[in-house]
Amino acid sequence: MPGHNPKRFVLAAMLAALALRLVWMMLTDNSYEGDALARLATAYDWKNNPRWFPSVDWMPLFPYLFGTAMKVGDAIWSPRILNVLIGAATVFVYYRVVCNEFGVETGKWAAVFLSIFHTHIFICGVTETEALFALLVLLAVLFLQQHFQKGG
């Protein structure tokens, strides 16, 4: 892998992640232990009746984001496709976080491993909050890294 263009490599890892998550999404029915359906119902409820949605158990952004996806497209598939896209985007953000701490070579391998990590593939194929949570946590870490690298 030395000498390869890291941007192309990470793009390939993101495309592989996207493909794997799309295949998994198409093979599943979004009925993982009731949680996915409950989150889907919450987002659907918000889509039909937009309001402040106090969240006790789940991230508060989830019903707004996924309810908006339902307004744009199909109520069943749009949130799942959004979750797949969030999962693929997480590969890039994870790559950047790992590169900042351990270098480009390690970042490339981290991107590959996350793109084929079965738990992440599973979570991204159903309407769960964990994919969004992972992306937001990694974005927060990335912003903190950049802040402290600039001498903040």
Side-chain angles (χ1 to χ4, degrees):
M1 267 188 351
H4 287 93
N5 184 342
K7 289 180 182 177
R8 283 187 180 175
F9 191 87
V10 173
L11 180 61
M14 286 178 62
L15 290 174
L18 182 64
L20 288 169
R21 284 150 184 77
L22 279 171
V23 167
W24 177 250
M25 180 192 72
M26 298 301 289
L27 294 174
T28 59
D29 64 355
N30 204 33
S31 63
Y32 169 66
E33 295 184 16
D35 260 1
L37 293 177
R39 286 170 174 78
L40 193 64
T42 303
Y44 186 78
D45 180 39
W46 184 87
K47 174 189 92 92
N48 292 327
N49 184 17
R51 65 197 180 284
W52 172 247
F53 187 81
S55 180
V56 177
D57 301 322
W58 307 331
M59 296 173 27
L61 178 62
F62 186 86
Y64 308 129
L65 188 61
F66 285 71
T68 302
M70 288 178 180
K71 286 184 177 198
V72 173
D74 182 72
I76 301 295
W77 291 103
S78 295
R80 295 180 72 193
I81 291 169
L82 179 59
N83 229 19
V84 165
L85 294 172
I86 287 169
T90 303
V91 171
F92 176 73
V93 178
Y94 187 57
Y95 162 77
R96 293 284 312 274
V97 167
V98 173
C99 281
N100 287 341
E101 292 297 321
F102 303 105
V104 173
E105 196 67 24
T106 306
K108 290 193 297 189
W109 281 108
V112 168
F113 290 136
L114 183 59
S115 70
I116 61 172
F117 184 50
H118 60 87
T119 303
H120 196 256
I121 293 169
F122 173 79
I123 290 298
C124 292
V126 294
T127 317
E128 295 282 349
T129 60
E130 285 81 354
L132 178 60
F133 179 75
L135 177 64
L136 293 175
V137 166
L138 286 170
L139 280 170
V141 170
L142 181 63
F143 291 139
L144 284 172
Q145 286 176 331
Q146 291 175 346
H147 173 74
F148 288 116
Q149 284 175 351
K150 292 178 183 175

